[in-house]
Amino acid sequence: MNFSLLEPHLFRNAHLFAPEERGMCDLLVAGGKIIAIEQAGADIALPDCPISDLNGATVCPGFIDQHVHLIGGGGEAGPHTRTPEVRLSKLVAAGITSVVGLLGTDGVTRHPESLLAKTRALEYEGISAWMLTGAYGLPSPTLTGSVEKDVALIDKVIGVKCAISDHRSSAPTSAQLATMAAQSRVGGLLGTKAGISVFHMGNSPRELEPVYDILHHADVPITKLLPTHVNRAQSLFLAALRFAREGGYIDITSSIDEPIDPASAIMTAREGDVPSSRVTLSSDGNGSQPHFDANGNLIGIGVAGFESLLETVQKLVKQHHLPLEEALLPLTRNVAEFLGFGHKGRLSPGCDADFIVLDEELRIQEVWAKGKQMVRDGKACVKGTFEE
């Protein structure tokens, strides 16, 4: 059943992972928020409150995907290779209840204005959505003419993105990168946002050198700089582990299988003395997956999906024998803390009622976003405005 956002709803007998394991619990939801969590059997029902018995099914926080090409990406082989906009049903079917959109290689035919419109559309359609200003190149394309103003004044903008150590970047100087990161940081302070800088990492031998240049020439905290796609090259991944041990966050891409698959990357980080709280996981969903030869010529292109997020969790639990509560951290609590979302990434009174119901095989059965059911029996039951 699909209930109103404002109507109280009691969920009984949930095996709760918040993401820490809480045992058998009952959850009371109302107004899109979690109102109460008690041990199963507690008397917390309200008069005429709908009740759903989950019969011991696993319940965990909804996934936060902080790297999605909401209005499409690609274009590396011409206009016909521009990927389409993401559909709401694709996101929720993968367990995503919060998303951060961004631009990619194409900052010419894709614009921050269109990304902002898509971000607001997804919020209207039922999930939580934010965006990063900027694209691969510098100076950053922005909405207001300034990274600092975008982050400070536009509610949905929480930081900036650019590309480094990649043949598709604009070869930014250390000074340009430091200025961009500092502007995002100050904009975050003024707008009570995270004020982060996200760096698309390519295969260049320079690896994280541009990020360290920022730390050496500016006073931006290391916790505000996020290299992503760090599992795309062995040497880059080793450099990323060092960065995380020094206090930074690193983002592993679930849609990259080689040379290091995401589950193995997470386990290697754990075994390499990287604090588990410093590792996040994102999909790069709806972005293009170009393949280049040694001379930089495009030899193939695909589109990244979203299923790899849950598949990574399943692999961590079933193949690497990691407890579920720890396997969930990179796409729930860790990413919420990095993004400054105190109301996301965990199941606790006062938090948004974003949660997933999983079966014994860790397959998605239900998804609820802000107290509204989005997935029933493993299939999206709410679709975007123009979806058939």
Side-chain angles (χ1 to χ4, degrees):
M1 291 181 286
N2 201 346
F3 297 100
S4 164
L5 289 176
L6 299 178
E7 187 177 41
H9 189 174
L10 179 63
F11 296 85
R12 289 201 180 278
N13 301 313
H15 186 184
L16 188 65
F17 289 79
E20 66 278 2
E21 187 172 8
R22 294 279 302 274
M24 298 300 295
C25 294
D26 295 342
L27 291 79
L28 181 63
V29 170
K33 299 285 186 178
I34 297 174
I35 303 303
I37 297 177
E38 301 289 348
Q39 291 300 305
D43 188 13
I44 59 173
L46 300 174
D48 301 318
C49 174
I51 298 175
S52 295
D53 191 341
L54 299 179
N55 297 307
T58 295
V59 173
C60 69
F63 298 158
I64 306 170
D65 194 343
Q66 65 174 332
H67 197 111
V68 176
H69 294 271
L70 296 178
I71 59 172
E76 289 94 343
H80 65 287
T81 61
R82 296 164 76 250
T83 67
E85 289 194 2
V86 71
R87 293 182 292 170
L88 173 71
S89 62
K90 290 289 187 180
L91 295 172
V92 297
I96 298 167
T97 56
S98 297
V99 68
V100 179
L102 35 70
L103 298 179
T105 308
D106 185 2
V108 176
T109 69
R110 311 278 192 184
H111 314 99
E113 292 85 353
S114 298
L115 179 57
L116 177 61
K118 181 65 174 182
T119 301
R120 295 201 188 284
L122 288 169
E123 188 85 32
Y124 179 86
E125 290 172 345
I127 66 173
S128 299
W130 293 268
M131 64 172 279
L132 302 179
T133 194
Y136 269 27
L138 288 178
S140 300
T142 63
L143 293 147
T144 65
S146 161
V147 169
E148 184 175 341
K149 288 182 179 178
D150 277 14
V151 179
L153 299 177
I154 300 174
D155 59 334
K156 290 298 179 184
V157 180
I158 60 173
V160 66
K161 175 200 175 176
C162 75
I164 58 175
S165 301
D166 192 293
H167 64 92
R168 292 167 291 172
S169 79
S170 59
T173 66
S174 297
Q176 285 179 305
L177 288 171
T179 297
M180 181 202 74
Q183 288 180 343
S184 182
R185 165 64 170 166
V186 174
L189 293 173
L190 296 175
T192 61
K193 314 272 189 64
I196 57 173
S197 296
V198 175
F199 301 94
H200 161 99
M201 300 303 306
N203 291 322
S204 164
R206 297 185 67 202
E207 298 167 351
L208 291 180
E209 178 185 331
V211 178
Y212 280 106
D213 283 346
I214 296 174
L215 295 174
H216 293 155
H217 297 98
D219 295 314
V220 178
I222 192 173
T223 54
K224 297 299 178 180
L225 309 176
L226 181 71
T228 187
H229 313 322
V230 298
N231 54 319
R232 74 183 325 148
Q234 184 68 40
S235 59
L236 172 62
F237 185 61
L238 294 177
L241 297 183
R242 171 192 165 198
F243 182 76
R245 285 192 291 266
E246 293 173 355
Y249 284 87
I250 58 173
D251 188 52
I252 293 166
T253 301
S254 63
S255 58
I256 294 177
D257 289 325
E258 295 179 349
I260 310 170
D261 72 85
S264 295
I266 289 172
M267 294 305 298
T268 300
R270 291 175 59 87
E271 294 161 2
D273 297 323
V274 171
S276 61
S277 62
R278 297 297 186 183
V279 177
T280 64
L281 182 73
S282 64
S283 70
D284 198 19
N286 214 46
S288 65
Q289 293 181 313
H291 303 284
F292 299 94
D293 63 19
N295 296 317
N297 299 309
L298 187 74
I299 57 176
I301 193 166
V303 180
F306 303 98
E307 302 81 4
S308 56
L309 292 173
L310 181 61
E311 288 171 356
T312 300
V313 172
Q314 293 169 338
K315 189 172 182 179
L316 285 169
V317 173
K318 296 179 180 181
Q319 296 186 25
H320 295 280
H321 309 293
L322 191 67
L324 178 60
E325 60 184 333
E326 296 181 36
L328 290 168
L329 291 176
L331 65 167
T332 58
R333 191 173 69 196
N334 289 0
V335 65
E337 290 177 351
F338 172 69
L339 298 175
F341 296 162
H343 60 308
K344 297 289 187 181
R346 57 195 179 94
L347 300 179
S348 180
C351 291
D352 285 356
D354 298 341
F355 59 91
I356 303 170
V357 180
L358 302 168
D359 66 14
E360 294 180 351
E361 297 300 319
L362 300 182
R363 295 172 299 205
I364 293 174
Q365 298 302 301
E366 300 179 18
V367 175
W368 296 73
K370 292 182 285 189
K372 180 178 180 180
Q373 188 169 18
M374 310 298 285
V375 172
R376 183 189 303 116
D377 298 327
K379 297 181 179 180
C381 57
V382 175
K383 295 187 177 181
T385 306
F386 295 105
E387 290 190 60
E388 296 181 357

